[in-house]
Amino acid sequence: MVNLEQANELLAEFNAIANTKKHQPFDKNDPLKVGVDLGTSSIVLAILDQDNKPVYGSFEFAEVIRDGLVVNYVEAVQIVSRLVREAEEILGVEIESAATAIPPGTVGNDKKIVSNVLESAGLMVTTVVDEPEAAACLLGLTQGAVIDVGGGTTGISVIENDEVVLTLDEPTGGTHMSLVLAGYYGISVAEAELLKRDHDQEKTNFIIIKPVVDKMAAITERMLEQHPIEPLYVVGGASFFEEFAPTFSKYLGMVVERPDYPQFVTPLGIAKASGDSKYAE
Ligand SMILES: Nc1ncnc2c1ncn2[C@@H]1O[C@H](COP(=O)(O)OP(=O)(O)OP(=O)(O)O)[C@@H](O)[C@H]1O
Ligand SMILES: [Mg+2]
């Protein structure tokens, strides 16, 4: 059973830490659980203690990944190194290993390269988990589906009896919302990205980008035709809009929940999965 209230508390705590870079008290004798999420729009470092309480977090916006693929290796390594070294300084401990994640369906070299980024940044990779699986891990979801709407893609994982039984990843994400806004107003994508996040413009923005949300809901609907399942959880930064989950819910005629600070669900889930034998390679 998902305890959304508990997940939201953890997410709010992590959000506060990641935006101030102040760490929470922790026992230096206990190993930390470290997760690195290499996303299309940001790289997030999440650190939990053994009881899965947030200790530290940080992130950098970066465009080093596209549709789950590393497109700027050197910069990705530089950012991960920077986040880790800074965390070590602030926490006063050495960070030697971490878990990371890949979009569902990533195989072979594309999968390996994600671990290589961490290794080049001086980290031993303990665990490589599927992104939506990481999200499910954070939520404690053992039955249902997670729809992770990030920058580049919509990734879906169906979970039954605590096992992932179906995954898919489609190239429609928050970037496509920005493209639609840019086209509508005749502005650059960078300007549209800022406008999209302007809370005061949220209602108008949502009307313009709604076709993209409907497309994401249609992707989910196709998955549900293949494999009916409930409950549904949407996560990922692109689900930030207040109307996002209700729009999904209306489209699908089902209850759709969205945790608070949805951009941090996957990174925190990666850290939580770290060292867990269930997710070991
Ligand atoms: N306040 C906001 N309102 C609307 N969209 C937002 C907001 N904050 C972030 N986003 C969007 O969320 C997307 C990034 O989400 P997230 O951080 O989950 O992606 P990612 O993990 O970097 O990418 P991916 O999982 O696709 O590799 C971006 O498109 C960004 O514009
Ligand atoms: Mg992501």
Side-chain angles (χ1 to χ4, degrees):
M1 261 293 279
V2 172
N3 187 335
L4 196 57
E5 217 171 290
Q6 204 179 339
N8 282 340
E9 258 172 47
L10 201 147
L11 285 156
E13 212 177 310
F14 182 80
N15 178 65
I17 296 172
N19 281 296
T20 56
K21 292 193 180 169
K22 283 203 181 101
H23 74 83
Q24 291 293 102
F26 67 104
D27 186 345
K28 284 193 182 176
N29 297 316
D30 273 353
L32 292 167
K33 297 170 78 170
V34 181
V36 177
D37 185 7
L38 299 175
T40 306
S41 59
S42 65
I43 296 185
V44 185
L45 173 72
I47 304 185
L48 301 171
D49 68 12
Q50 289 298 318
D51 298 324
N52 297 319
K53 286 190 89 53
V55 171
Y56 178 80
S58 56
F59 60 89
E60 270 192 40
F61 292 111
E63 289 180 6
V64 293
I65 313 285
R66 205 165 295 143
D67 299 340
L69 304 179
V70 180
V71 290
N72 191 333
Y73 189 87
V74 174
E75 203 188 333
V77 173
Q78 282 169 348
I79 294 171
V80 175
S81 300
R82 203 153 52 224
L83 291 172
V84 170
R85 299 294 94 79
E86 192 181 32
E88 288 181 325
E89 235 163 74
I90 291 172
L91 297 172
V93 294
E94 218 175 305
I95 298 169
E96 289 166 346
S97 57
T100 189
I102 46 166
T106 312
V107 290
N109 214 24
D110 293 338
K111 180 175 177 184
K112 186 80 191 73
I113 205 162
V114 173
S115 301
N116 288 348
V117 169
L118 268 72
E119 282 162 7
S120 296
L123 295 168
M124 220 171 66
V125 179
T126 53
T127 317
V128 183
V129 65
D130 264 3
E131 285 169 3
E133 206 179 343
C137 174
L138 183 85
L139 297 172
L141 182 75
T142 54
Q143 183 86 14
V146 178
I147 303 131
D148 184 357
V149 200
T153 61
T154 296
I156 306 179
S157 275
V158 178
I159 304 190
E160 273 178 347
N161 301 318
D162 209 10
E163 292 291 332
V164 177
V165 294
L166 180 74
T167 60
L168 66 103
D169 204 45
E170 294 269 340
T172 303
T175 311
H176 304 81
M177 296 172 172
S178 305
L179 285 172
V180 168
L181 273 182
Y184 184 88
Y185 287 112
I187 54 178
S188 70
V189 179
E191 286 169 319
E193 182 64 42
L194 288 178
L195 173 66
K196 185 177 71 174
R197 293 167 189 238
D198 182 350
H199 191 65
D200 293 338
Q201 308 294 324
E202 183 171 332
K203 280 207 162 67
T204 321
N205 283 345
F206 194 79
I207 295 167
I208 301 163
I209 59 101
K210 188 171 174 288
V212 183
V213 181
D214 285 338
K215 167 114 192 273
M216 292 160 172
I219 293 169
T220 308
E221 188 180 43
R222 278 206 302 280
M223 179 282 294
L224 287 169
E225 278 163 10
Q226 261 187 65
H227 201 115
I229 189 98
E230 58 179 2
L232 302 182
Y233 285 86
V234 286
V235 304
S239 69
F240 224 99
F241 297 94
E242 210 168 292
E243 279 304 309
F244 192 98
T247 300
F248 248 65
S249 188
K250 206 164 162 195
Y251 191 102
L252 299 169
M254 289 171 68
V255 176
V256 180
E257 302 270 19
R258 197 218 63 194
D260 296 337
Y261 308 101
Q263 75 276 31
F264 290 136
V265 176
T266 301
L268 274 170
I270 297 171
K272 189 176 174 189
S274 166
D276 186 331
S277 58
K278 177 169 181 247
Y279 304 100
E281 288 290 274

